[in-house]
Amino acid sequence: MKKYHILLMIVLAIVVSVFISTADSSSEYANFAEAQKNQETEFTVIGNLSKEKPINYNPQLNPNLVTFYMTDKQGKELKVVLNSSKPQDMERSEDVVVKGRCKDDVFYANTIL
C-alpha cells in the first residue's frame, strides 16, 4: 500500500470514531412529560428552578448528591436528583438545563448547565 492510502484510512477511521462518539452522547431536548413517557431515553430538559422549594445538599454526607425541584417550560414541576456537586450560585440562575433520565416522578440528572 502507498503512504497515501494508509493516511487516508487513518483519517477515515478518526472521522468515523468522532461521528459515533458524538451521535452516541447526544440527547434530545424534551419536557418532563416526554421524559416520563420515554424513561429509557436520555433527554435534555430546560426549565426554571422552583425557588419556593428547598435545594437539598449536604457535602459532609454526600458531596455528589443534590436534590431540587424544577419547572419545565410547559409548567410541569418534578423533583430532580443530580449526581454531581452543587453548582455555585445555583439559586441565582435564570434557567436550568439538566441532562438525564426520568424514572416515575423523579428526573435523575447526570449533568447540569
Side-chain angles (χ1 to χ4, degrees), residues 4-111:
Y4 173 76
H5 290 108
I6 294 172
L7 182 62
L8 186 63
M9 287 175 34
I10 291 172
V11 169
L12 184 62
I14 292 171
V15 168
V16 168
S17 65
V18 167
F19 177 73
I20 289 172
S21 68
T22 58
D24 196 31
S25 66
S26 66
S27 67
E28 298 178 41
Y29 281 90
N31 55 34
F32 284 140
E34 289 179 55
Q36 285 180 309
K37 288 179 191 172
N38 303 302
Q39 295 187 10
E40 68 282 347
T41 307
E42 185 173 88
F43 290 103
T44 301
V45 179
I46 302 172
N48 299 324
L49 186 65
S50 297
K51 295 185 180 185
E52 61 276 353
K53 295 195 177 175
I55 297 172
N56 296 316
Y57 177 62
N58 188 346
Q60 289 79 23
L61 187 61
N62 187 349
N64 292 319
L65 180 65
V66 183
T67 60
F68 58 95
Y69 286 84
M70 181 177 143
T71 306
D72 67 8
K73 295 296 181 180
Q74 281 67 39
K76 184 170 179 75
E77 183 180 75
L78 277 185
K79 180 178 182 178
V80 178
V81 175
L82 174 64
N83 293 315
S84 180
S85 61
K86 181 178 168 256
Q88 188 174 359
D89 295 330
M90 182 176 170
E91 296 85 3
R92 296 187 199 179
S93 63
E94 290 287 323
D95 287 336
V96 178
V97 180
V98 290
K99 185 183 211 180
R101 289 184 170 89
C102 199
K103 184 173 182 184
D104 300 323
D105 289 335
V106 179
F107 189 85
Y108 293 93
N110 46 29
T111 57

